[in-house]
Amino acid sequence: MKYKKYILLPALALLTTGLHAQDGKRIAIETDHTALILNIGKNGRVYQSYLGERLADAADNNVLPQGKEAYITGGMEDQFQPAIRITHTDGNPSLELIYADKKVIHPDTGSTETIISLKDPQYPITVNLHYQAYAHEDVIKAWTEIVNGEKGTIILNDYASSMLHFDAGSYWLTQFHGDWAYEMQMQESKLTSGIKEIDSKLGTRADMYQSPMFLLSLNKLSDETSGEVMAGTLAWTGNFRFHFEQDQNNSLRVVSGINPYASAYQLAAGKTFTTPAFIFSYSAHGRGQVSRNLHAWARNYDVMDGNKSRLVLLNNWETTTFNFNEQRLDGIMDDAVKLGADLFLLDDGWFGNKYPRSNDKAGLGDWQETKTKLPNGITHLVKQADAKGTKFGIWIEPEMVNPKSELYEKHPDWIIKLPNRAENYYRNQLVLDLANPKVADFVFNTMDDLIGKHPGLAFIKWDCNRLMSNNWSPYLKDKQSNLYVDYVLNLYDVLKRLRAKYPHLPIMLCSGGGARTDYEALKYFTEFWASDDTDPLERVYIQWGYSNFFPSNTVTCHVTSWGKQSLKFRTDVAMMGKLGYDIDVSKMTPDELAFSQQAIKNYKRLSSVIWFGELYRLVSPYEANRAVLMYVDGIKAKAVLFNYNLNIREREQVNRVRLQGLDPQKKYKVEEVNMMPGAKPILADNGRTYTGDYLMKIGLDLNGWHLKALTSSVVEMTAQ
Ligand code: DGJ
């Protein structure tokens, strides 16, 4: 990383850019391979001297240039996007932050947390910068506490989780955007001078258009194995903003946090505001490494039961939608058993009596079983599943209400909607006002009743199908601009209470597909629904996108009837993540059923490698008409490769694929698995044994003469 000389800079920039603070105090935030070096300037302000590969000689940290102020305040001399901008009780719109002290703690055996306290010399405001460095995983988590020591309420206009500075020749941004059924599409662009922002203003279904994560490549666009790159993501299940600003000297600042849009936060006297965490990983060796870093960190420290196994389930949504009764469900449970799935998941449509949920126009909020559909209730379904030797799980959307519901009739003041305006529906529903503690209690009690009354219940799918609009919280009164934030904080409070009581129940987070995909939510959820689009061709891109940030055991992928591709292709695509089914098993041909039964057996044999192994993305669907990726287990004894030929032409030239992550010394037997009964392998080298060295230098001919569009293969590699 290169640093600017300070000649020819205007006087103000001199203060913050180029001075060597030889005798300034260094604060090193380090992982095994990454360092973020801060220093305290003579003026008491804290500067970021360096972010990049850890320097070999720690003494070099002492001669680093001073750099830019680490957490720039608004209202003072800096004229770019600040990290924090507040209005004091007396109306003063400025803040100065001077170093007060530093603490280093070890919250667990694998991480070190550095807390830097900054204070305004004129006002009783404290800002604590937290940096938690996970040594082995090379991940840093940064967040901020803002303590209001004033006698009245202060306004937080901007309150970033983190500010980071870069000085490179050029900057390349990889962002992930989309829509319903089109999540996590990857887009790359070179940053230019000025501002680029990625944000969400959608509130509840926050990530529907933009996802809260990015890759930032320095100097050149990184690829899987080379280039300097940082992966960053905000752990917040609400509105977020990433602000990239390239200044007149080609320096870049990245400000990440809650989106301050319509959210000037009123912080009462004596209160502390804690921002969500910005989680990042840096590597000088390409994006594959930062993905693996995040995956390992997530499984070890963040995701609920991240290192535990997951259930293969059969869902009924695509088969029945709202049209089912006990008898139909009984048959589907039999199908789950026949298939070899671990659990049957009952989706939307089981509740509401005055206004039964027979379509999406009614019932949300009335979480009692519809007597006409399910006369014996959930208790019976749990028992039935148990008697058949499977498990039972259920869908719920507890933050929402239909105007056609008893809840709406009883509690009109529990709903987010504007006074003096017509109600604004989205999927015929409204959002409950979770900023209101009574509503939060209702959501908790709904979940507690559902789970507590049915001890055998083995899985929950928590859905959230609408974004927020026409916002007004009857509860917040004159504090409307706290709504977006308080909603999310109270949601976390509900989830915390739930997890205190039901620590290990698997819960999938769904948001009309994958519109809630962040690491704070994953503290409470074991997995998330990636997209309603289960057409496997589309899914390859969607799952590729998620794989940059999330371990595969969190990315739920179901085999369904979407898309015209073969069942094998659909299955192979779903197997690269957390496999499940949402398909009418009774319509499968005998061969398809036999194939699926075997596929589940294969998955159970291989899932520990897929879930807990290291991911190597080998051929990107964004660069070729195919996608190839592999997982390797921790001791490099077993690997699984997924090969997807997309809209490839039959005589298109495709090269052998060189593998990664294997032990060069070991010999691996390569075998294609997951084949339809009677089908021959397409792997030219099937059944042979090669050294890891050969496989990584020469590679495998994955298709032989069988290259065809929309075909796939799964290759198991076992060290001999
Ligand atoms: C949206 C989800 O993404 C679907 O999987 C399904 O659960 C429906 N909601 C049910 O309403």
Side-chain angles (χ1 to χ4, degrees), residues 7 70 144 391 448 511 554 578 596 691:
I7 39 167
T144 303
K391 293 184 166 71
D448 190 27
S511 185
T554 62
K578 195 230 143 186
S596 302
T691 60

Side-chain angles (χ1 to χ4, degrees), residues 180 183 205 315 317-318 322 347-349 357 360 364 395 397 427 429 461 463-465 508 510-514 529 531-532 558 582:
W180 175 79
E183 290 86 343
R205 204 170 159 180
N315 193 357
W317 177 245
E318 297 289 337
F322 302 95
D347 215 284
D348 196 353
R357 179 85 169 161
D360 64 14
L364 288 177
W395 175 100
E397 192 177 1
R427 209 193 187 208
Q429 65 196 60
K461 176 178 176 185
D463 207 345
C464 169
N465 279 296
M508 179 206 293
C510 173
S511 185
W529 180 226
S531 176
D532 277 351
H558 289 174
D582 194 350

Side-chain angles (χ1 to χ4, degrees), residues 2 4 68 78-82 163-173 189-197 216-220 242-255:
K2 92 179 182 347
K4 292 229 137 22
K68 298 258 185 344
D78 183 89
Q79 302 307 332
F80 297 91
Q81 174 63 43
M163 170 178 261
L164 294 172
H165 302 281
F166 299 88
D167 257 310
S170 59
Y171 309 97
W172 298 81
L173 180 69
S189 56
K190 188 175 178 197
L191 290 176
T192 53
S193 90
I195 292 169
K196 163 90 182 176
E197 277 189 353
L216 178 71
S217 304
L218 307 178
N219 299 310
K220 66 163 197 160
F242 300 127
H243 178 100
F244 304 86
E245 189 163 17
Q246 200 170 320
D247 69 14
Q248 77 283 13
N249 297 313
N250 205 42
S251 294
L252 181 77
R253 71 175 64 174
V254 180
V255 187

Side-chain angles (χ1 to χ4, degrees), residues 220-233:
K220 66 163 197 160
L221 188 58
S222 62
D223 57 31
E224 289 294 330
T225 52
S226 73
E228 287 180 66
V229 59
M230 182 185 90
T233 179

Side-chain angles (χ1 to χ4, degrees), residues 667-678:
K667 288 194 163 162
Y668 295 89
K669 183 164 190 198
V670 296
E671 291 165 290
E672 188 171 332
V673 296
N674 255 25
M675 284 171 291
M676 286 297 286

